[in-house]
Amino acid sequence: MPREPLHDAHGRRIADLRVSVTDRCNFRCQYCMPAEGLPWLARDEILSFEEIERVVGLMVEMGVEDLRLTGGEPLVRRQFPRLVAMLAGLDGLRDLSLTTNGYLLERDADALVAAGVGRVNVSIDSLQRDRFFQMTRRDSLPQVLRGLEALSHHPKVHPVKVNAVAIRGFTEEEALPFAEFARTSAFQVRFIEFMPLDADQAWTPDAVLTGEELRQIIHAVHPLEERPREPSATARIFRFADGEGEIGFINPVSEPFCSDCNRIRLTAEGKLRTCLFSMHETDLREPLRAGATDDDLEQIVRDAVWRKELKHRVNEPGFRPPARSMSAIGG
Ligand code: SAM
Ligand code: SF4
């Protein structure tokens, strides 16, 4: 049953939902988790597949069209492809995608595709094994590349994107190898600026290697031409002027795209977040488990979304990062 579309008080229509299906992860990326991991949620604290399906279904009735499943590492959640199949069946959903570190893709690619996943982003910060190890604290690049290979056997999963976090002092050296990778493979490469969402709170403004700096490094060797930007698109996309492929830059710190932001997030334990940097969140689990009707839940979601933050304040004096790190939010 269609419901009134979801809007915030700034006139943005909300059509994009990210759901974190677990806070756990098998990697320990420097920019996300501490080496020792984080205190994981207990099993009964995490939304069940049925609870996720109910909340997502309701939001789809309110105009959410794009759903991305993330974590933590979504593929470590038991029977994850079963959840994908449940959600893929929702009427009104246009796009069902997944963000993963790729470690378990070799095992799961076939099941995920059969369940109905449409697009996949794989996070890879370096194409060199030792540097990949340094950033993720796991010596797993060959395993992740086998996962990409397994996905590439499924042409209907398109596009497959490779996302690299851009950190000063590390990613400069990755720019040209990734450009080469983008030119010679079917994968779409995106750099994403380092945001103050690392559990170690080591982020500083200086640690952000901007998309523009990376673009210049690549442009000096492989001239780039910008493509027109689509509404609500977070990436600036450039094509290689000699016609071979394209590469993208997601610049949330140096060029915030908040005014077009149509996204909300649901954490693994059922908190609704209206901005990556929200200081407030709205609990949906308690009402879900206390017998709230769909109309009750709709009202809670609508009120929370109405108060969606105008913009993030990362570049303003006095900025404080949220208590949750990226893995606990669902990036
Ligand atoms: N574990 C999966 C993965 O790594 O793809 C999904 C969850 S992860 C939190 C989602 C995305 O957030 C990844 O692409 C990761 O690189 C990115 N990320 C994590 N911490 C970040 C940070 N501090 N700044 C920018 N991106 C970050
Ligand atoms: Fe895990 Fe993804 Fe965070 Fe890396 S970025 S620690 S893979 S949740």
Side-chain angles (χ1 to χ4, degrees):
M1 182 190 74
R3 295 170 188 261
E4 182 75 10
L6 263 178
H7 281 99
D8 73 5
H10 309 289
R12 296 171 295 194
R13 190 171 87 70
I14 305 306
D16 183 316
L17 171 65
R18 296 206 167 192
V19 174
S20 170
V21 302
T22 179
D23 59 328
R24 294 176 193 231
C25 188
N26 43 5
F27 282 15
R28 297 285 182 274
C29 304
Q30 304 265 2
Y31 49 76
C32 182
M33 277 217 195
E36 65 279 12
L38 290 165
W40 308 131
L41 293 164
R43 220 182 145 156
D44 65 347
E45 292 180 284
I46 292 193
L47 294 189
S48 67
F49 286 177
E50 288 68 26
E51 288 168 334
I52 294 175
E53 183 188 31
R54 181 160 174 225
V55 173
V56 175
L58 189 67
M59 292 195 187
V60 169
E61 289 175 11
M62 289 190 267
V64 164
E65 299 170 330
D66 300 332
L67 173 66
R68 177 169 293 275
L69 300 175
T70 180
E73 172 48 38
L75 273 53
V76 305
R77 174 110 187 221
R78 272 184 50 216
Q79 299 191 330
F80 175 64
R82 187 168 77 80
L83 174 65
V84 173
M86 287 164 72
L87 299 173
L90 289 172
D91 225 14
L93 197 61
R94 193 184 59 173
D95 184 36
L96 175 51
S97 60
L98 167 69
T99 299
T100 171
N101 63 29
Y103 184 80
L104 293 169
L105 263 183
E106 189 184 25
R107 182 192 77 183
D108 287 350
D110 294 351
L112 289 167
V113 177
V117 97
R119 298 188 299 126
V120 178
N121 289 2
V122 182
S123 306
I124 303 180
D125 302 308
S126 173
L127 295 167
Q128 291 178 56
R129 186 169 177 168
D130 55 336
R131 289 167 54 79
F132 181 97
F133 182 18
Q134 182 190 341
M135 192 51 84
T136 60
R137 302 187 180 106
R138 295 289 183 269
D139 183 15
S140 302
L141 180 63
Q143 177 72 34
V144 171
L145 294 179
R146 284 199 294 277
L148 270 186
E149 163 81 21
L151 262 189
S152 67
H153 297 148
H154 297 283
K156 70 177 179 181
V157 179
H158 184 79
V160 175
K161 292 184 187 161
V162 168
N163 288 341
V165 178
I167 301 182
R168 188 174 306 287
F170 182 88
T171 311
E172 295 87 338
E173 211 180 294
E174 301 297 332
L176 291 175
F178 271 119
E180 214 45 60
F181 186 71
R183 289 162 63 80
T184 55
S185 74
F187 305 114
Q188 297 188 2
V189 174
R190 305 278 181 266
F191 292 99
I192 173 155
E193 288 175 350
F194 181 27
M195 291 182 277
L197 294 168
D198 53 319
D200 289 334
Q201 302 215 342
W203 183 93
T204 62
D206 284 349
V208 182
L209 180 65
T210 66
E212 176 54 19
E213 289 173 279
L214 280 166
R215 189 198 65 78
Q216 284 178 17
I217 295 172
I218 295 169
H219 183 73
V221 179
H222 301 295
L224 294 167
E225 290 170 355
E226 185 157 15
R227 288 220 161 127
R229 192 159 153 182
E230 286 169 21
S232 297
T234 52
R236 292 179 67 160
I237 309 295
F238 293 76
R239 62 176 210 88
F240 292 101
D242 60 10
E244 292 174 68
E246 45 132 271
I247 197 155
F249 305 90
I250 303 174
N251 304 337
V253 180
S254 66
E255 297 179 77
F257 31 80
C258 306
S259 58
D260 293 332
C261 178
N262 67 347
R263 185 171 293 172
I264 55 175
R265 290 180 155 80
L266 184 67
T267 69
E269 78 271 49
K271 307 277 192 203
L272 184 65
R273 292 180 63 84
T274 48
C275 174
L276 265 179
F277 299 96
S278 289
M279 289 301 189
H280 305 283
E281 42 194 36
T282 302
D283 182 35
L284 300 185
R285 188 183 69 198
E286 204 274 327
L288 264 173
R289 293 186 181 173
T293 65
D294 281 0
D295 289 349
D296 297 336
L297 285 173
E298 172 180 357
Q299 201 51 52
I300 296 169
V301 170
R302 212 172 272 296
D303 288 349
V305 166
W306 184 253
R307 295 190 301 270
K308 179 172 161 66
E309 296 77 351
L310 176 61
K311 57 178 185 161
H312 73 62
R313 303 193 180 274
V314 171
N315 298 311
E316 295 179 14
F319 165 77
R320 280 188 307 122
R324 286 174 185 273
S325 58
M326 194 64 132
S327 65
I329 294 174

